[in-house]
Amino acid sequence: MSFSWTPHRFSGGALALDVANSVILRHDDERRTDRFEASGQMESFPKAAANFCAERALFGDILPVRPENRPGFIALREAIDRYFRARVLDRSGDALLADLLEVLSKVLRQAASSDGLDAATVHSTLRLIAMPDPERMKICGNCGWLFIDRSKNRSRAWCDMAVCGNRAKANRHYRRKKEENAP
């Protein structure tokens, strides 16, 4: 399967969330797709992140994760998702935080260089942990991705209005019309 890294794929608002969101439909076992399993996707992600990621000014050009470090990087991605998803859903997760910090430490020790995707993801994650407004982190009501709501009134419901917002609104419109036309 072939993918392209578009701006929509970087709507998390932080590199760590964009990495976590590399799994499409994470909680749908039948349709779940891990983009990093597709050939060449993990190698092309850093270049796309340098173009589209909200934190691109912080990290600049990022090198791909070295092949021998990929299992640790995938473990990091999963720990990021588990911790921040739990934090959004119930504002708890001290055990998950400890697990995440342990994985962060391992990945940082094995990172090939400070400008690799693995090291940049660790630094992005640490910034998110220390985020002054943790209630700004949300889960998209359409696709389930994690994102930071930077809207003034904190009312954003979708990771990307142009994609998920439009889909949700079109779905509501379709259901409303269907109910109006029902006998």
Side-chain angles (χ1 to χ4, degrees):
M1 184 174 281
S2 177
F3 297 102
S4 61
W5 294 107
T6 62
H8 166 67
R9 301 293 173 193
F10 293 88
S11 44
L15 179 63
L17 299 182
D18 295 334
V19 167
N21 293 339
S22 66
V23 178
I24 302 166
L25 300 172
R26 179 178 287 277
H27 299 290
D28 184 340
D29 292 335
E30 292 178 15
R31 300 185 311 164
R32 175 188 167 107
T33 304
D34 182 346
R35 295 205 44 179
F36 287 159
E37 287 180 355
S39 177
Q41 293 301 301
M42 192 179 288
E43 294 83 3
S44 63
F45 183 86
K47 183 176 181 184
N51 291 324
F52 304 126
C53 180
E55 294 179 320
R56 64 186 170 273
L58 295 174
F59 301 114
D61 290 337
I62 303 170
L63 298 174
V65 177
R66 291 175 56 180
E68 63 270 18
N69 294 343
R70 288 182 182 169
F73 180 70
I74 296 300
L76 172 61
R77 177 188 68 184
E78 298 307 307
I80 290 167
D81 185 78
R82 277 190 305 275
Y83 172 71
F84 288 110
R85 194 168 296 278
R87 187 166 139 179
V88 168
L89 293 173
D90 62 15
R91 305 287 188 228
S92 67
D94 287 343
L96 291 174
L97 176 59
D99 292 344
L100 176 59
L101 292 172
E102 186 176 321
V103 173
L104 289 169
S105 173
K106 286 179 186 175
V107 169
L108 205 51
R109 284 189 184 106
Q110 77 177 10
S113 66
S114 61
D115 55 354
L117 177 59
D118 38 4
T121 302
V122 167
H123 291 286
S124 175
T125 304
L126 291 170
R127 288 171 47 86
L128 287 174
I129 291 170
M131 192 165 101
D133 298 324
E135 67 278 357
R136 286 196 178 269
M137 189 171 300
K138 297 183 178 181
I139 299 172
C140 179
N142 186 55
C143 68
W145 280 0
L146 293 162
F147 69 94
I148 299 171
D149 178 1
R150 290 197 169 95
S151 66
K152 192 172 187 175
N153 64 359
R154 301 176 187 200
S155 63
R156 194 168 140 200
W158 304 289
C159 65
D160 184 349
M161 182 57 197
V163 177
C164 288
N166 282 344
R167 286 180 186 156
K169 288 180 176 185
N171 192 15
R172 267 198 320 260
H173 175 75
Y174 172 78
R175 280 182 290 169
R176 202 169 36 246
K177 288 294 183 188
K178 190 174 178 180
E179 289 172 7
E180 288 173 5
N181 295 332

